[in-house]
Amino acid sequence: MTTPDYAEKIPNNVSLNEDRRLQRALESWQPNFLSWWESMGPTLPTQDVYLRTAIDVRGEGWAQFGHVPMRDYRWGIFLADRNPERRIAFGQHKGEPAWQKVPGEYRAELQRLIVIQGDTEPASVEQQRNLGATAPSLYDLRNLFQVNVEEGRHLWAMVYLLHAYFGREGREEAEELLHRNSGSQDSPRILGAFNEETPDWLSFYMFTYFTDRDGKYQLGTLKESAFDPLSRTCEFMLKEEAHHMMVGTTGVDRVVERTAQVMAENDTDDIAAHGAIPLPVIQKYINFHYSVSLDLFGGETSTNVANYYTAGLKGRWLEERRKDDHLLDSDSIMVDALTDGQIAQTEVAALVGLNTDLRREYIADCAGGIKRWNRILDEAGLPQRLYLPHIAFNRKVGAFASIEASPTGDRLSAGEWEARKGQWLPTDTDKTFVRSLMQPVYQRGKIAAWVAPPRNGINGQPFDYDYVHLA
């Protein structure tokens, strides 16, 4: 089935009504989800929001737009169409038919991968729950809420897999996804970046650029999975994820554009007094969010990831476009490493270095944003340039977790780091200043002074469209 069935209590295109036991289990989870949404979701009261809702899982015209009360948003379960001819593209099961059920020998590993992915989805909603109170425009407010409801639907996607394929343990894990909370001391989210604050809109744009981009690559590896329901789930999630990254990309675009305008208008780099965000502060936020997101890829080497690949559980980004044997038994890769205390590289088996392979795809993608933002500065006639910091900078996971390094990759002593880190990472003063700019603008067609308006609205609507009706 391609078209989601919205006549059902839980919209879906997986013929949920044909499995009454599964349907009842998910319907019993639904009130818990709504309770979580009410307690941990967006705090700004609204009447309705101009949101898109999936009406298909293929091609153009897959979503429709309309004003919807957020609590009435129809969260559901949508998988891309099944290809009955699909075969496993990599690993020791290469060439075999894709799995429609979970092989017993891989049950624990698949469940863990799904739980980790599922845990990130509600975490970002929790991190962003207070941002509506300081939205720079109704357009931005609408984009925030679109991201939020779709992260909620991505949680549903993982919960469906846990309920449908992992029995009692899966149901218990689905409950735990609602019990952990971002930043909680007692029950935090699994991955570190999802316990960080998103206290202001500059952080939100950076999060949706850098951290949601990590999500793109993680989903891309799971889309290659031999477990076909997981593959089809991630394929559709990637369609929705593209909007989240657009919010981040164009959001930072607009911050840099406004900063450049104010610098040019006042012929000064020191624009804080003029109500815009100085370039050095923007750079500090890039440094932080980029380095934290690099940690999400794990260590440079991993036997677990090698085993996932060999088993067919998790592939590489764009696996089927790779020009190799898709087994990697005899291949090697250079990975970042500390050698005699120096930042260097070392050669390892390609299977063991798959985290590095994925991280490098991500880094190359992130560099595209830097080029965009520097083009804005160039077009404004400014000589300053933004950059991505060195891969060893501010790392808490992997080969460089035990050292300190500058954004240019120079080794630092602990004392030097403590003395200089405020030059490179947001300080309390920087954060306080950015938050001081976060005054809400809820009038149609109006926008805060620290960010430029978008070049285009949503779904062909103008910037001054009534995207959100506040309560």
Side-chain angles (χ1 to χ4, degrees), residues 137 139-140 250 254 257-258 261 445-448 451-456 463:
S137 72
Y139 164 89
D140 288 287
T250 60
R254 292 160 50 216
E257 180 182 346
R258 181 58 182 153
Q261 289 171 354
K446 303 296 184 181
I447 193 165
V451 60
R455 299 185 185 277
N456 301 295
F463 168 64

Side-chain angles (χ1 to χ4, degrees), residues 57 77-81 86 110 113-114 117-118 121 153-154 157-158 160-161 215-225 227-242 313-315 317:
V57 294
I77 301 158
F78 311 134
L79 276 65
D81 285 343
R86 181 174 180 250
L110 269 171
L113 288 171
I114 292 168
Q117 181 61 47
E121 313 297 352
R153 203 209 61 73
H154 295 176
M158 296 297 110
Y160 164 73
L161 294 177
K216 164 188 168 180
Y217 283 90
Q218 302 298 343
L219 289 173
T221 64
L222 295 175
K223 184 179 78 70
E224 305 292 337
S225 178
F227 180 41
D228 202 46
L230 175 59
S231 171
R232 293 164 56 209
T233 296
C234 292
E235 184 176 346
F236 182 69
M237 288 170 69
L238 281 164
K239 189 185 295 287
E240 293 178 320
E241 196 76 20
L313 308 184
K314 185 177 180 182
W317 176 253

Side-chain angles (χ1 to χ4, degrees), residues 36 40 126 178-184 187-189 194-195:
W36 166 82
M40 299 302 296
E126 293 164 353
L178 297 177
H179 293 157
R180 287 186 290 271
N181 295 134
S182 177
S184 167
S187 188
R189 292 296 176 183
F194 291 90
N195 290 301

Side-chain angles (χ1 to χ4, degrees), residues 316 319-326:
R316 291 172 293 177
E319 179 68 48
E320 296 187 47
R321 298 186 188 180
R322 305 290 185 114
K323 304 299 183 183
D324 53 38
D325 64 5
H326 304 279

Side-chain angles (χ1 to χ4, degrees), residues 5-12 16 21-39 70-78 152-153 155-157 159-160 163 171 174-179:
D5 182 359
Y6 279 94
E8 293 288 333
K9 185 175 182 180
I10 300 173
N12 71 93
L16 191 58
R21 182 177 179 180
L22 175 59
Q23 185 179 38
R24 286 194 299 270
L26 287 168
E27 287 178 354
S28 70
W29 187 84
Q30 190 175 38
N32 297 335
F33 169 81
L34 292 174
S35 176
W36 166 82
W37 179 267
E38 288 294 312
S39 62
M70 274 204 294
R71 198 180 191 282
D72 295 340
Y73 189 81
R74 300 303 311 280
W75 287 283
I77 301 158
F78 311 134
R153 203 209 61 73
L155 171 61
W156 268 97
V159 164
Y160 164 73
H163 273 266
R171 293 191 295 273
E175 290 297 329
E176 286 301 310
L177 291 174
L178 297 177
H179 293 157

